[in-house]
Amino acid sequence: MSVDDKTDQRPVGRGELTARELLRWVWRQVTSMRTALVLLLLLALAAIPGSVIPQTGVDALEVTRWKEEHPDLTPIYEKLDLFSVYDSIWFSAIYLLLVLSLVGCIVPRLFVYARALRAQPPRTPRHLTRLADHVSYETDLAPEEVLDRARAVLGKRHRLRAVDPADGPADSVSAERGYLREAGNLLFHLSVLVVLAGFGIGGLYGYQGGVILVQGSTFGNSLTQYDDFDPGGLFTPEQLDDFDFTVDSFEVDWLRSGSGAGTARGFEAGISYREGDRPQEEYDLRVNHPLSIDSTDVFLIGHGYAPVITVRDGEGNVAWTGPTVFLPQDSSFVSFGVIKAPTAEPEQIGLEGLFYPTFDLYEGDPVSVFPEALKPLVSMLVYTGDLGLDDGTSQSVYVLDKDKATQLEGEDGKPFRLDLSVGETVELPDGLGSVTFERVDPWIRVQISQTPGKEVALLGVVLALIGLCGSLFIRPRRIWVRARTVTRDGAAGGGGGTMTVVDVAGLDRSGNGELDEVLADLVAALKKE
Amino acid sequence: MSDGAWETLSNQAVAAAGLVYFVALIVHLAEWAALRQPAANEVKQAVAVGGESETPAVSEAPAGRRTPEERVAFLNRLGFLTICIAAAAHLVALVGRGMAADPNRVPWGNMYEFTVSGTFVVTVGYLALYRRFRLDWMAPIVVGFVLTVLMVAVIWLHEPVQPLTEALNSYWLVIHVVSAVIATGAFTLGGFASIMYLVKMRAGEPEEGATGFLARVPGLEALDKLAYRVHAFAFPVWTFAVLITGPIWAHEAWSRYWNWDPKEVWAFITWVVYAGYLHARATAGWKGRNAAILALVGLATLWFNFIGINYFSTSSQHAYALQAPAVLLVVE
Ligand code: HEM
């Protein structure tokens, strides 16, 4: 019955909906199957922009690049949240509506189902032969015998309607099976909520952090140690687990021949870690092989080279020494880096340039012919003067502030360039000092994260899958068998004696099954001697 | 056998499979043509009856020649057999691909291999369901599709054998991709049934006793049920692939179980559209035609995700979209 009918019957002003009725009408619309369907399609549609437009959560760098290339579109896109579609208000609105619709749909169905579970299979319809799927046959067995057999055969996998004197003489068996289909369906839909809950918990309470660690260095798990840190809205620093670890070694298994030459087959970082007060333990950190400490996971997600360079100033003192992280520019691992020696006297010294793992000249251009550090070389330009480090503002370690610095020039008036292989030292012009390339250390980038709720989400999908299979593969159906006595030859009271006519009929409640075979099997079982 | 020999074998087997699929297509098209012949025979008979009496009711073929019915049945069986042979060659191509890699691995490191695997599943799915659902009418569509996609794979997607990058070297990958490939093949088969549903709906039910292709295609209701059955099989497998094993693998390899990466987004879209299809079949006003259209939308998103998305988006971490080694670096 639709709401409009009701309103029409009301004696007061026709066409007027009271607030309550309006609410009920809205609720009914929201929880209708059609709305669910439309919302599902809307959700699919709404997910598309996020796959074409770069997303902050996926690739922040790409977003910056995109914004630079499209200055006109950027403000519009920003207004529409198109750089973080999946956190946007409109995307959330769709799935929250879907959740609302889901709850509104499921809860009443739970009650209906609870009642259906207790209910008996329905009475046998009067005219079985009018059902779409039915079979009749004749037999010499007495009706009671046929029905007993039917009860025995069907009783194994069906629920039978109890014989009720109120139904009149028991001339039939009514059986039903497949109650679990609806249970599966309900389980599936409820599990969707569980998945969403797990997903939400992760988003709110979890965090992702990244840090680059040169071989030999130690990481202690506190906020200040992270290079970047992306917490959920409800994250608190107390959640950080108490542990530290040291990168003892890092190996890459490079492919040296074949069409895949130059790609890595494996990476392995040997680390030793300590959790709280426990003794130190060793672990091989690899891709697909994260380390779990308490509720924190540590993943190996990248690697590169850190040339160890020593800068001596004009007075012969070491102004800087140590590994410096260079960032790979592409898959050849040609890497860019910056070295700052602010304490150098008489003037600060800054270096900026590239690292080539396996240096070579290709048609006069410097290239790296292999990503492994087989013939490493650093090639850098030199700056002196004010590196902008003294005014207290923080500076990225990967950027050299050249605004107030001057670039060193060689005797020929061209920019002075250092080209250093391992072990080499070059004197800087004008007695500024010297630079030594000591060796190369590898670095690794690890991602450290807590994802609370991931087990909840996993449990949710597994339950959903179980429910789904139940819902899709269980075939609920009703089967009826009626046996009645008729006189042979059809002529009432004729001398031909009597026989039994058996009508078997079924109803597939999912509408997708094939009942012919089921009925044929049943008849065969009933006829069996 | 050396790795190189395996690779050559694989390439030759793909070519052989393509050739045999082509033969199968011809055979089935011939069967199709033969289907129309009884009508011609009947005309002749009618003339004969008019002239003389005593013409047998059943068309009698000249000695040593088959009756049209027999011809159709023969071509039908021959076609089935040919597809079986093609499938065997197809399988050899896959195995060869896996054996050619060092170390040996599952044959789905890149799009070429995924395509060859996916089409193989379509064929095997067809062969597996052939008897149960009397699918012979679908043969030209299946073979035509597999042949076309294989050609696309060989011409545009082919790449020499390479070892898997480490992110892909995981047994979760094996489970993930096996299930994704199976679901893809099954969705494709289900899509064929939905296409035929729409075609048949437009053409209308053929008249009683009509011959030709459409007459052999099952009725609308049967097509709808067939499509549903196949989709109902594929959907949980797809759920398993993209919502269970995919996230588990992503969690281990990239530290995030769900990252809204373009491949993930489209896998999700496909999932939602097919969920819509299953709903549509139970919703008045959406049953039948609209449901079939939704199934095809789902199929389009599925194949777009596999082939198309790589050309629209650069930020996918999925390895067959990414030829560079698995160095992922985002530093401020
Ligand atoms: C998060 C959103 C939803 C998803 C992903 C979803 C998914 C599905 C799937 C995959 C099925 C097929 C399984 C089956 O046939 O039993 C299904 C069936 C069903 N869904 Fe949903 N659903 C959602 C929301 C809803 C809502 C909001 C409603 C209520 C209006 C609803 C009502 C139903 C019903 C009644 C069926 C059974 C259809 C039948 O008898 O075949 N669903 N759903």
Side-chain angles (χ1 to χ4, degrees):
Chain A
M1 199 193 314
S2 85
V3 174
D4 306 57
D5 296 342
K6 265 193 204 155
T7 6
D8 280 356
Q9 285 159 11
R10 292 171 62 92
V12 283
R14 303 181 78 241
E16 257 181 60
L17 285 170
T18 65
R20 227 181 119 208
E21 279 163 342
L22 185 70
L23 222 67
R24 280 185 64 166
W25 180 82
V26 169
W27 181 244
R28 233 175 266 190
Q29 293 305 308
V30 167
T31 58
S32 80
M33 221 21 203
R34 190 176 302 257
T35 310
L37 183 51
V38 171
L39 285 175
L40 273 174
L41 297 182
L42 219 57
L43 186 68
L45 211 62
I48 294 177
S51 72
V52 195
I53 302 163
Q55 297 293 295
T56 315
V58 179
D59 193 344
L61 229 59
E62 182 70 24
V63 173
T64 320
R65 210 172 302 158
W66 196 95
K67 284 182 178 172
E68 276 163 15
E69 280 170 26
H70 305 83
D72 300 340
L73 283 176
T74 300
I76 305 172
Y77 276 35
E78 270 173 350
K79 235 181 219 123
L80 295 175
D81 277 342
L82 286 176
F83 298 111
S84 53
V85 166
Y86 307 105
D87 304 324
S88 70
I89 295 175
W90 49 273
F91 191 79
S92 315
I94 296 174
Y95 76 75
L96 288 179
L97 259 181
L98 199 53
V99 167
L100 188 71
S101 168
L102 188 63
V103 172
C105 178
I106 292 303
V107 173
R109 272 169 65 203
L110 279 173
F111 288 111
V112 172
Y113 182 60
R115 251 176 283 135
L117 269 187
R118 271 176 278 132
Q120 295 245 10
R123 264 192 203 108
T124 312
R126 190 157 303 164
H127 302 287
L128 284 183
T129 46
R130 284 193 196 156
L131 288 170
D133 294 290
H134 67 89
V135 190
S136 298
Y137 70 94
E138 292 159 4
T139 171
D140 289 333
L141 292 177
E144 290 72 37
E145 231 173 305
V146 173
L147 293 182
D148 279 345
R149 278 193 184 189
R151 279 191 202 95
V153 171
L154 291 170
K156 274 180 230 149
R157 305 192 59 189
H158 294 70
R159 179 185 292 185
L160 302 181
R161 184 177 174 88
V163 180
D164 179 358
D167 291 350
D171 65 344
S172 68
V173 174
S174 167
E176 178 160 12
R177 61 171 286 182
Y179 291 84
L180 279 179
R181 174 185 203 263
E182 180 68 1
N185 193 309
L186 292 171
L187 175 64
F188 168 79
H189 285 89
L190 288 174
S191 305
V192 171
L193 299 180
V194 176
V195 176
L196 278 178
F199 205 70
I201 294 173
L204 287 175
Y205 294 96
Y207 78 87
Q208 307 256 346
V211 60
I212 286 181
L213 296 165
V214 178
Q215 175 176 298
S217 59
T218 299
F219 174 86
N221 192 26
S222 70
L223 279 184
T224 53
Q225 298 252 334
Y226 287 88
D227 293 343
D228 55 279
F229 196 82
D230 178 19
L234 298 178
F235 170 84
T236 52
E238 292 83 68
Q239 272 174 243
L240 288 180
D241 289 321
D242 176 21
F243 65 86
D244 58 54
F245 64 86
T246 304
V247 182
D248 300 324
S249 64
F250 179 66
E251 303 285 336
V252 181
D253 180 8
W254 295 105
L255 276 178
R256 289 164 193 281
S257 59
S259 56
T263 57
R265 185 189 281 174
F267 316 90
E268 184 172 317
I271 64 173
S272 34
Y273 67 99
R274 197 186 350 246
E275 182 185 347
D277 307 323
R278 303 234 204 109
Q280 183 160 310
E281 288 182 67
E282 309 276 311
Y283 193 82
D284 286 337
L285 195 61
R286 278 176 280 138
V287 179
N288 286 327
H289 192 58
L291 166 64
S292 296
I293 307 176
D294 221 338
S295 60
T296 307
D297 295 312
V298 180
F299 303 84
L300 174 62
I301 61 166
H303 66 104
Y305 295 105
V308 180
I309 284 170
T310 302
V311 179
R312 287 192 176 75
D313 64 13
E315 300 172 5
N317 298 321
V318 173
W320 163 261
T321 185
T324 306
V325 169
F326 276 49
L327 301 178
Q329 305 295 294
D330 55 36
S331 60
S332 76
F333 275 83
V334 172
S335 310
F336 173 83
V338 162
I339 290 166
K340 301 172 189 179
T343 60
E345 296 291 345
E347 283 193 276
Q348 297 184 344
I349 299 173
L351 310 175
E352 178 188 86
L354 295 173
F355 168 82
Y356 298 88
T358 303
F359 177 79
D360 209 342
L361 284 174
Y362 179 75
E363 295 180 351
D365 294 325
V367 291
S368 180
V369 292
F370 202 76
E372 188 179 4
L374 297 174
K375 195 179 148 202
L377 179 125
V378 284
S379 173
M380 309 188 86
L381 299 172
V382 186
Y383 298 83
T384 64
D386 183 0
L387 297 181
L389 286 160
D390 305 328
D391 60 1
T393 55
S394 66
Q395 228 188 46
S396 165
V397 294
Y398 302 111
V399 179
L400 191 63
D401 181 355
K402 291 172 287 202
D403 286 352
K404 293 185 216 131
T406 48
Q407 185 170 13
L408 278 196
E409 288 176 358
E411 274 151 22
D412 51 2
K414 285 198 194 142
F416 176 77
R417 207 179 74 203
L418 294 168
D419 285 321
L420 288 173
S421 298
V422 172
E424 286 180 352
T425 300
V426 166
E427 296 291 330
L428 298 177
D430 311 334
L432 279 170
S434 67
V435 177
T436 310
F437 184 10
E438 317 267 0
R439 62 171 200 279
V440 186
D441 282 347
W443 57 256
I444 60 171
R445 179 169 157 78
V446 292
Q447 176 122 321
I448 301 171
S449 60
Q450 277 183 352
T451 321
K454 60 175 187 264
E455 295 84 3
V456 177
L458 182 63
L459 179 76
V461 266
V462 171
L463 287 180
L465 188 63
I466 294 171
L468 189 61
C469 289
S471 177
L472 291 172
F473 302 130
I474 294 176
R475 297 265 143 72
R477 58 176 171 253
R478 293 178 176 153
I479 304 279
W480 296 282
V481 180
R482 172 173 282 130
R484 57 203 155 87
T485 311
V486 298
T487 42
R488 230 179 263 278
D489 308 324
T498 60
M499 62 176 183
T500 303
V501 173
V502 184
D503 297 321
V504 179
L507 184 69
D508 181 289
R509 301 193 66 206
S510 70
N512 296 307
E514 314 282 350
L515 276 179
D516 314 359
E517 271 175 47
V518 175
L519 294 187
D521 287 351
L522 176 60
V523 168
L526 290 179
K527 279 183 177 166
K528 203 155 66 187
E529 286 308 313
Chain B
M1 252 167 100
S2 74
D3 288 349
W6 277 113
E7 185 166 358
T8 312
L9 175 72
S10 171
N11 290 342
Q12 286 168 347
V14 167
L19 203 68
V20 183
Y21 278 126
F22 184 67
V23 173
L25 185 62
I26 301 284
V27 171
H28 277 291
L29 290 181
E31 177 197 351
W32 224 2
L35 275 170
R36 300 185 177 279
Q37 290 200 345
N41 255 323
E42 271 157 29
V43 174
K44 251 187 257 154
Q45 272 169 42
V47 173
V49 172
E52 271 179 336
S53 57
E54 297 282 68
T55 316
V58 186
S59 58
E60 190 86 45
R65 291 204 55 190
R66 294 191 177 86
T67 64
E69 294 82 30
E70 277 172 351
R71 269 250 299 285
V72 169
F74 170 74
L75 287 171
N76 190 321
R77 261 174 295 143
L78 183 67
F80 182 77
L81 193 71
T82 331
I83 298 180
C84 288
I85 296 170
H90 205 150
L91 180 64
V92 171
L94 280 181
V95 172
R97 210 56 205 181
M99 299 297 284
D102 174 37
N104 293 341
R105 61 171 168 82
V106 286
W108 34 75
N110 53 39
M111 277 167 56
Y112 170 73
E113 294 173 2
F114 191 99
T115 313
V116 176
S117 311
T119 44
F120 179 68
V121 172
V122 173
T123 309
V124 169
Y126 164 78
L127 293 177
L129 299 182
Y130 177 83
R131 294 206 113 202
R132 181 113 197 268
F133 293 105
R134 280 186 245 116
L135 281 192
D136 41 1
W137 60 270
M138 210 192 248
I141 309 176
V142 171
V143 177
F145 173 84
V146 169
L147 187 60
T148 313
V149 175
L150 268 188
M151 265 172 10
V152 169
V154 169
I155 295 172
W156 282 300
L157 305 177
H158 186 269
E159 275 175 46
V161 174
Q162 286 177 12
L164 291 185
T165 52
E166 190 165 31
L168 298 184
N169 201 353
S170 148
Y171 59 85
W172 284 112
L173 169 83
V174 179
I175 306 174
H176 171 66
V177 180
V178 170
S179 43
V181 169
I182 291 177
T184 302
F187 276 136
T188 306
L189 271 182
F192 293 157
S194 293
I195 290 175
M196 280 325 292
Y197 181 92
L198 292 177
V199 169
K200 196 142 185 182
M201 193 167 205
R202 285 209 75 172
E205 287 282 347
E207 287 158 34
E208 208 38 54
T211 57
F213 180 64
L214 272 188
R216 293 182 71 210
V217 176
L220 281 180
E221 200 182 324
L223 275 175
D224 182 52
K225 264 188 201 173
L226 171 66
Y228 171 76
R229 289 259 186 112
V230 180
H231 282 111
F233 164 77
F235 188 75
V237 179
W238 185 249
T239 306
F240 179 69
V242 304
L243 299 184
I244 297 185
T245 57
I248 291 178
W249 173 46
H251 177 69
E252 303 221 322
W254 308 326
S255 83
R256 288 190 167 199
Y257 65 85
W258 191 268
N259 199 26
W260 294 110
D261 162 289
K263 279 263 170 200
E264 287 171 356
V265 172
W266 280 89
F268 172 74
I269 291 174
T270 302
W271 188 79
V272 170
V273 172
Y274 279 118
Y277 163 78
L278 292 175
H279 271 205
R281 280 195 83 263
T283 310
W286 283 77
K287 283 193 179 98
R289 200 175 83 100
N290 286 357
I293 291 174
L294 270 185
L296 295 184
V297 172
L299 193 62
T301 64
L302 182 74
W303 281 95
F304 172 74
N305 187 21
F306 172 52
I307 294 180
I309 189 65
N310 302 339
Y311 300 105
F312 279 84
S313 170
T314 49
S315 49
S316 178
Q317 296 188 51
H318 270 78
Y320 28 81
L322 180 98
Q323 291 308 319
V327 184
L328 308 164
L329 199 84
V330 185
V331 179
E332 280 301 288

